[in-house]
Amino acid sequence: MADIQQTTNKQHRMLKISILRFNPQDPESVPHMQTYELEESDSMTLFIALNELRDTQDPTLQFDFVCRAGICGSCAMMINGKPGLACRTLTRDLPTEFTLAPLPAFELIGDLSVNTGKWMRNMSERMETWVHMKEEEVDLRKKEVPMDPQLAEDIYVLDRCVECGCCIAGCGTVRIRPDFVGGVGINKIARFRLDPRDTRNDADYYDIVGDESGVFGCMSLLACHDFCPKELPLKTQIAFIRRKMAEQGMRGYDKVLPTQKKAIPIKPARQ
């Protein structure tokens, strides 16, 4: 009973949340910071706080969300100057006063909402991030060839990217080269290079990622690795792909010759 009474009498903090407001569709709108006050609740996430602000104080506030569980990547934003997911950020881990802003490098829709989908689609089409198979048509009646469990696990680890854009928002190279594919693009190359169903070799991948807008443009600041909410092994994959592309550039393997698809040690997927 004493514990229940202590919980009931617990004092919650009053949060001051400064949000960058701007609607590019409105010619009269100018970028400005707007501060809201909100009482913190137990186990409040930034996602919950933003929804409460929009429901009770300002229905014009724009931000994105879908899954609420760190799976869709829609609610990514700059939280006190660092990219992160609103649904996975507890307000208790933030100071009483903090700022929110949209992710840089992406087309702004309004306030905290950006068009990451447009950027990701352009990147995926440019990087050809799909399994390239020899068969023109897939026979769905054919029994699928079993995959080694460890190889399947390695592919799964890399395939957990939710395309939230946090790695792009934290990337210094993107600020210099807007055409840079970033950690998300290089990770996708690593994922398909590992897939035994993909018939491409390093000569094919070199045409896609073997330049300054690809893996050789990375300045190794590794903010992509630091801010990835899914904790993907981006620094390991960037180093690995850069080494393989350097070998391809120096030795000039032919496209018709297969190259060994060797996995590198990566940490297990987070449960």
Side-chain angles (χ1 to χ4, degrees), residues 24 29 41 55 57 74 87 114 117 119 145 166 174 177 181 191 195 198 211-212 220 231 259:
S29 178
S41 60
D55 291 342
Q57 298 188 34
S74 299
C87 67
V114 296
W119 192 97
V145 179
C166 287
V174 171
R177 298 187 61 96
V181 297
R191 177 256 182 270
D195 198 319
D198 198 306
D211 56 17
E212 290 187 353
S220 300
E231 296 187 357
T259 55

Side-chain angles (χ1 to χ4, degrees), residues 134 193 196 198-205 248 252-262:
K134 290 183 178 179
R193 186 184 182 279
D198 198 306
T199 58
R200 292 175 290 179
N201 62 13
D202 283 349
D204 298 302
Y205 294 125
Q248 169 62 34
Y253 297 117
D254 191 79
K255 287 188 178 183
V256 299
L257 298 177
T259 55
Q260 184 180 9
K261 294 188 175 184
K262 182 180 179 182

Side-chain angles (χ1 to χ4, degrees), residues 5-6 15 28 31 40 52 55 93 112 126 160 175 199 201 205 208 230 238 242 270:
Q5 185 175 2
Q6 183 178 2
L15 303 175
E28 297 183 359
E40 187 178 36
E52 188 169 335
D55 291 342
D93 296 331
L112 302 175
R126 173 183 162 195
R160 293 183 303 113
R175 308 296 180 90
T199 58
N201 62 13
Y205 294 125
I208 298 174
K230 306 301 287 187
I238 292 172
R242 180 155 47 193
R270 184 174 57 184

Side-chain angles (χ1 to χ4, degrees), residues 51-216:
N51 273 279
E52 188 169 335
L53 286 178
R54 187 158 63 180
D55 291 342
T56 62
Q57 298 188 34
D58 190 347
T60 67
L61 181 61
Q62 297 185 65
F63 62 95
D64 298 318
F65 70 91
V66 178
C67 73
R68 315 178 194 185
I71 298 173
C72 70
S74 299
C75 64
M77 60 187 65
M78 299 298 289
I79 306 169
N80 254 2
K82 298 179 181 180
L85 297 180
C87 67
R88 299 188 68 174
T89 302
L90 293 170
T91 56
R92 69 186 180 201
D93 296 331
L94 298 171
T96 305
E97 300 182 15
F98 58 90
T99 61
L100 302 178
L103 294 180
F106 298 102
E107 179 184 342
L108 179 65
I109 297 175
D111 298 337
L112 302 175
S113 176
V114 296
N115 194 345
T116 55
K118 180 179 179 180
W119 192 97
M120 294 295 174
R121 176 164 184 168
N122 290 337
M123 180 274 298
S124 294
E125 291 177 350
R126 173 183 162 195
M127 306 287 284
E128 300 182 12
T129 56
W130 56 85
V131 175
H132 288 58
M133 305 177 68
K134 290 183 178 179
E135 296 83 359
E136 293 184 0
E137 295 184 4
V138 178
D139 186 0
L140 298 179
R141 297 169 298 180
K142 184 178 178 181
K143 185 177 180 179
E144 187 174 359
V145 179
M147 185 181 296
D148 178 76
Q150 184 56 53
L151 177 59
E153 176 68 13
D154 291 340
I155 293 175
Y156 166 72
V157 170
L158 302 182
D159 215 20
R160 293 183 303 113
C161 173
V162 295
E163 298 187 352
C164 61
C166 287
C167 63
I168 300 300
C171 179
T173 305
V174 171
R175 308 296 180 90
I176 302 172
R177 298 187 61 96
D179 60 342
F180 182 58
V181 297
V184 58
I186 298 171
N187 179 74
K188 286 181 178 295
I189 290 296
R191 177 256 182 270
F192 287 103
R193 186 184 182 279
L194 195 57
D195 198 319
R197 298 165 295 183
D198 198 306
T199 58
R200 292 175 290 179
N201 62 13
D202 283 349
D204 298 302
Y205 294 125
Y206 187 85
D207 288 343
I208 298 174
V209 76
D211 56 17
E212 290 187 353
S213 64
V215 71
F216 295 121

